[in-house]
Amino acid sequence: MILCLILISCNRNDYKRSDLPAQEVQELIQNFRGDIGVYVKDLVTGAELEVNADTIFPTASMVKIPILVKIFDKIEQGELDYQMEMKYGPEPEYEYSGDIISNLIPGTEVALSELIHLMMSTSNNTASLWNQYLAGKGTEINSWLENNGYVFTRVNSRTEGREEDFQAYGWGQTTPREIAGLVEGIFKGEVVSKTASEQMYRIMSRNFWDGEALSQLPPTVNVASKNGAVRASRSEVLLVNAPSGDYLFSVITKNQGDTGYEYDNEAWVVIRKLSSLLYNHFEPHSEWTPDKELKKYHQ
C-alpha cells in the first residue's frame, strides 16, 4: 500500500502542465454582450493568462474579501476578538433590510465569528456592512489596501470621498488581477499574518453560492472562493486546490446586456464554461463530470 501511494505521488509530480488555454478562453468570451475580464494563474508554473486583467470592474460581493482582511488585521492588532459577542442594534451604519440579520430582535447577541461566516459564506449584506463598520469603515480598509500595494481595489459604499466611484462601480471596485492576487496572498499566508491567512482561507472554502464556477468542480476538491452579482455585473474568484496542483482564476463582467437573475444568465453561463474549461485543462485525466440533475438546486 505504501509503495502504491508513492507511485501515485510520483506520477502526479511527473505530470507536464501545458500552456494555458488562451485560444479557448478567447473563443468562449468573444461573443459576450458586455465587458469581461479574466485572469488565470497556474500556481505550479507561474504561467498567467490575461484578458482585461487590469481593467477596473465592480466587485459586487467580492468586496467582502477586503472587508474580511481588515477585520482580521484588527483581530491581530488586538482591537477586535474573533469570538466577541455584540448586540444587534440595528444601526444606520450597517442596516440592510430583508436578510436574516436584519430580522433579528434588537438586542440579540451575535458573535463576530458568526458575522464573518455569514458575510463570506451566504454573503449576508447586513453582516457585511456591520463588519465594514467594525473594520474601521471603507476608509481604513482602503488604507490597508493602498499600503499593501493594491492600486485599484477599493471600498466605495458608505466611504467618504468615494461618492463618484460608488456611482460608477457600486459597493466596491477591483481588477481581475488584483482580486485574484489578494486571494493568492491569503493562500500563501502572506496577508495580515500566517495565522490569520490560514483562518481566512478556511472561511473562504465554505461558499453557500455554489451554482456557478463551483458547480463545475468536483465536490471532493477544496476551493476558496467568493462571488458577486448585481444586475449588469457578475463576478467570481477561485483558488482551486486541484489534485495535480493549485491554480487560481477570476472573472468579472460589467455593462452586461443580460441583466436577469435566471440560471442561464449569459455571464453565469460563461463563468460555468470557463470553470469547466480550466479544470479539464489542469486535470486532463479526470473522469469526473458535473451531474446534470444538480441544475434543479440552482434554478
Coordinates of all heavy atoms in Angstrom, one line a residue, residues 20-21 39 50 85 98 102 127 190 193 217 235 250 272 292:
L20 N -1.3 27.6 -20.9 CA -2.7 27.9 -20.6 C -3.5 28.0 -21.9 O -3.0 28.5 -22.9 CB -2.7 29.2 -19.8 CG -2.1 29.1 -18.4 CD1 -2.1 30.4 -17.7 CD2 -2.7 28.0 -17.5
P21 N -4.8 27.7 -21.8 CA -5.7 27.6 -23.0 C -6.2 29.0 -23.4 O -7.4 29.3 -23.4 CB -6.8 26.7 -22.5 CG -7.0 27.0 -21.1 CD -5.5 27.2 -20.6
Y39 N -8.6 36.6 -15.4 CA -7.2 36.4 -15.0 C -7.0 34.9 -14.5 O -7.8 34.5 -13.7 CB -6.8 37.3 -13.9 CG -5.4 37.1 -13.4 CD1 -4.3 37.6 -14.1 CD2 -5.2 36.4 -12.2 CE1 -3.0 37.4 -13.6 CE2 -3.9 36.2 -11.7 CZ -2.8 36.7 -12.4 OH -1.5 36.5 -12.0
E50 N -4.3 36.4 -19.4 CA -4.9 37.7 -19.0 C -5.8 38.2 -20.2 O -5.4 38.2 -21.3 CB -3.8 38.7 -18.8 CG -2.8 38.3 -17.8 CD -1.6 39.3 -17.8 OE1 -1.7 40.4 -18.4 OE2 -0.6 38.9 -17.2
E85 N -18.8 38.9 21.6 CA -20.3 39.0 21.4 C -20.7 40.5 21.3 O -20.2 41.3 22.1 CB -21.0 38.3 22.6 CG -20.7 36.8 22.7 CD -21.6 36.0 21.8 OE1 -22.6 36.6 21.3 OE2 -21.4 34.8 21.6
G98 N -34.1 43.1 4.8 CA -34.5 41.9 4.0 C -33.7 40.7 4.1 O -33.8 39.8 3.4
S102 N -30.9 41.3 9.6 CA -31.8 42.5 9.8 C -33.1 42.1 10.4 O -33.8 43.0 10.9 CB -32.0 43.2 8.4 OG -32.8 42.3 7.6
A127 N -24.6 41.6 7.8 CA -23.4 41.2 8.4 C -22.2 41.8 7.8 O -21.3 42.2 8.5 CB -23.3 39.7 8.3
E190 N 0.4 35.2 3.4 CA 1.1 36.5 3.4 C 0.2 37.7 3.7 O 0.7 38.8 3.7 CB 1.7 36.7 1.9 CG 2.7 35.6 1.5 CD 3.1 35.7 0.1 OE1 2.4 36.4 -0.7 OE2 4.0 35.0 -0.3
S193 N -1.2 38.0 8.6 CA -0.2 37.1 9.2 C -0.5 35.7 8.7 O -1.6 35.4 8.1 CB -0.4 37.1 10.7 OG -1.6 36.5 11.1
L217 N -16.7 22.0 -10.5 CA -15.6 21.4 -9.9 C -16.0 20.2 -9.0 O -17.1 20.3 -8.4 CB -14.9 22.4 -9.0 CG -14.4 23.7 -9.8 CD1 -13.9 24.7 -8.8 CD2 -13.4 23.3 -10.8
S235 N -19.4 38.2 -11.0 CA -18.0 38.1 -10.7 C -17.8 36.8 -9.8 O -18.7 36.4 -9.1 CB -17.5 39.3 -9.9 OG -18.3 39.6 -8.8
S250 N -10.0 34.4 -11.8 CA -11.1 35.4 -11.5 C -11.7 35.8 -12.8 O -11.0 35.9 -13.9 CB -10.6 36.6 -10.8 OG -9.6 37.3 -11.5
R272 N -19.5 29.3 -15.8 CA -19.5 27.9 -15.6 C -18.6 27.2 -16.7 O -17.8 26.3 -16.4 CB -21.0 27.3 -15.8 CG -21.9 27.7 -14.6 CD -23.2 27.0 -14.7 NE -24.2 27.6 -13.8 CZ -25.1 28.5 -14.3 NH1 -25.2 28.8 -15.5 NH2 -25.9 29.0 -13.4
K292 N -25.8 16.5 -14.3 CA -26.8 17.4 -14.9 C -28.0 17.7 -14.1 O -28.6 18.7 -14.2 CB -27.2 16.9 -16.3 CG -26.0 16.9 -17.3 CD -26.4 16.4 -18.7 CE -25.3 16.4 -19.6 NZ -25.7 15.9 -21.0

